[in-house]
Amino acid sequence: MLVSFAILDESESPLYVPFQPYEDIKQCEESKCIDSGLSPAEQVQQAKECLQSLDKSLDENFHRWTIMDYSRAYKSQKITPLMVAERLVSAVMQSSAPGTDMSFFINYESRDILKQATESTLRYERGEPISILDGVPIAVKDEIDCMPYPTTGGSKWLHKVRPCKEDACCVKRLRSCGAILVGKTNMHELGAGTSGINPHYGTTRNPYDPKRISGGSSSGSAAVVCAGLCPVALGVDGGGSVRMPAALCGVVGLKPSFGRIPYSGVIPWNWTVGMVGILAGTVEDSLIVYAAVSGGAEAQQPTMNQQPKLYLPMLKPSNQMSGIKLAKSKEWFNDCSDDIRICCLTALDNLYKCYGWQTVEVTIPDIEAMRLAHYVTIGSECAASFAHYLEKFDKSESGSDVRVALSVYGAFSSRDYLQAQRIRNRQIKIHEKIFGMADVIVTPTVGITAYEIKDDVKKTGELDYVNGASLVRYSIAGNFLGLPAVTVPIGYDKLGLPIGIQFIGKHWSEDMLIQIAYAMEALCKAEYKKPKVYYDLLTEI
């Protein structure tokens, strides 16, 4: 009713794609504009020059190995990419063993991993690494094409009707930088849920507590970063699917603006809300991979006549970034568990005390209508994408949550869809007004921390809509409106489960978002805790 019979002004027309014309907006105080036409490796070099320091803080209790840690270790010849790859394969086998059964991956090939690592090792021996990503293990969500693996989308049938013929554009760019693509991570089947519970490939478990969910749908990508198997992984975010698992697993999740990263080679089931995103152990690493995969995309809109400029922030002490204003909608912000609310409010207090950043109270109307309009949009796009497959679709091949979702998606009418796009247009204008008052919108990333996996989960799948609604509560604007967003780990609840805070920016403002995330991380990283399931691939033998 909030969508189909929404009261809208006659002048409010539908907005079918949330692509916004590029404006050379004010970037953060210190950022560099990257020349168009650079190769991915050259863009990575530009990102490297933006990094602040090579030294670890003595106050840190725990830190994950970063891309720069791998690069320095390889160059010093204390360890080689091949040694890391052998440890990785051993760790993945260990994580899959009975009694552990973390279900991180749907598919990986030891021989392919070792082959890539051998080639990288030879490049280092010759003193010719391609970039700082050379030899760095990176995992890919099984929604993104990556040779030599089939792209299953977490299902048992999709790869049979949609074969993978070549790498997705984002994967090609990482491969051209020398990264080791280590396999396809587990995900919620067809992206149709928020938990990461998959009836076919197992439930990806949270490394902080293996009895709990990792979140979805990019569950495996978040979990492998959390567990130390990779410093970075790729995911796809259609409704918070990068940011939710990142928050639950205590890692960084970056979802860029719609149109920033090429979408070719990604399963095309949500054309206007889905975006390739980055899961990383640190903000620094998210910047490096963002630089590698961004820009130079094919136009996603016929009206796109100017390629958005790519800015990279200089990651330095954030007291250099003055006058930041954070928009906060009190009622929406507080609609979460007490532990999350208190932790996020404390984080805002710390940003004010350390940097003088102000919080501006705002009202964001019709949030529930926007959530439902997004659901109608993503459901309609998914139903249209799968329409020519569903005649031969054997329902018994999918879990109960997917069967329910596809039934609901097919029930949406043209009026539902058109009204949803009119709501999208209205919300774009509402958010533009908010960004006239503040630099970013701040929220918790999710409404609850990771919940327990039930014993009958393989049989029933994801049918917990109460918890699902709590997880997706703060994600929708980023997808429905095409806005960039980032989540950063800021603490833990009483059970030791990670809590994340989210910053949502205006279109094309990723450099400011990354700088803000870096500032937030700097205040919290000394308190980061090691997960219960963690693999150290880089310590010298």
Side-chain angles (χ1 to χ4, degrees), residues 51 151 204 253 275 305 320 388 391 481 483 514:
L51 305 184
T151 302
T204 302
M275 298 153 227
N305 54 21
Q320 302 290 327
H388 60 296
E391 291 181 2
L481 309 182
L483 301 172
I514 293 169

Side-chain angles (χ1 to χ4, degrees), residues 302-455:
T303 57
M304 179 178 170
N305 54 21
Q306 182 183 5
Q307 184 65 42
K309 292 181 181 178
L310 178 62
Y311 285 87
L312 301 179
M314 305 297 294
L315 296 188
K316 57 189 298 184
S318 293
N319 53 15
Q320 302 290 327
M321 229 179 141
S322 59
I324 294 294
K325 292 183 179 179
L326 311 166
K328 175 168 104 32
S329 178
K330 184 176 180 180
E331 184 178 354
W332 187 38
F333 188 99
N334 291 341
D335 192 14
C336 57
S337 72
D338 288 343
D339 283 356
I340 292 176
R341 176 177 52 81
I342 292 168
C343 190
C344 288
L345 288 174
T346 300
L348 293 184
D349 287 341
N350 289 337
L351 289 174
Y352 173 72
K353 291 174 184 176
C354 294
Y355 309 130
W357 294 359
Q358 300 282 345
T359 299
V360 180
E361 294 293 341
V362 299
T363 298
I364 305 177
D366 302 326
I367 289 175
E368 178 62 9
M370 178 169 64
R371 183 186 73 81
L372 293 173
H374 169 269
Y375 188 67
V376 169
T377 302
I378 194 172
S380 297
E381 292 178 0
C382 187
S385 176
F386 287 134
H388 60 296
Y389 301 139
L390 295 183
E391 291 181 2
K392 302 177 181 178
F393 176 60
D394 182 353
K395 291 183 178 180
S396 66
E397 289 191 56
S398 285
S400 54
D401 49 336
V402 169
R403 297 198 299 270
V404 170
L406 290 176
S407 296
V408 174
Y409 296 165
F412 294 137
S413 68
S414 58
R415 180 179 66 185
D416 297 331
Y417 181 76
L418 287 169
Q419 287 289 87
Q421 307 322 300
R422 295 177 75 191
I423 291 171
R424 176 185 259 170
N425 199 359
R426 172 184 281 188
Q427 282 291 336
I428 285 276
K429 293 173 181 176
I430 288 170
H431 281 70
E432 284 175 351
K433 290 180 181 178
I434 292 171
F435 289 127
M437 297 183 286
D439 298 289
V440 296
I441 298 169
V442 62
T443 74
T445 309
V446 291
I448 56 172
T449 51
Y451 57 85
E452 288 191 342
I453 300 166
K454 297 177 182 177
D455 293 337

Side-chain angles (χ1 to χ4, degrees), residues 250-268:
V251 300
V252 175
L254 173 64
K255 187 209 75 65
S257 302
F258 179 83
R260 176 66 84 181
I261 297 175
Y263 205 62
S264 59
V266 181
I267 296 175

Side-chain angles (χ1 to χ4, degrees), residues 56 63-72 136 231 282 284-285 538:
K56 299 293 178 189
H63 70 265
R64 293 182 175 83
W65 296 118
T66 67
I67 290 168
M68 287 305 303
D69 289 328
Y70 280 90
S71 179
R72 288 195 303 273
V136 175
T282 64
E284 173 187 294
D285 284 352
L538 206 55

Side-chain angles (χ1 to χ4, degrees), residues 203-220:
T203 298
T204 302
R205 298 175 179 273
N206 194 312
Y208 276 94
D209 183 348
K211 295 179 180 178
R212 295 177 182 270
I213 65 162
S214 58
S217 61
S218 304
S219 49

Side-chain angles (χ1 to χ4, degrees), residues 219-237:
S219 49
S221 290
V224 296
V225 173
C226 176
L229 291 172
C230 303
V232 183
L234 294 183
V236 180
D237 194 315

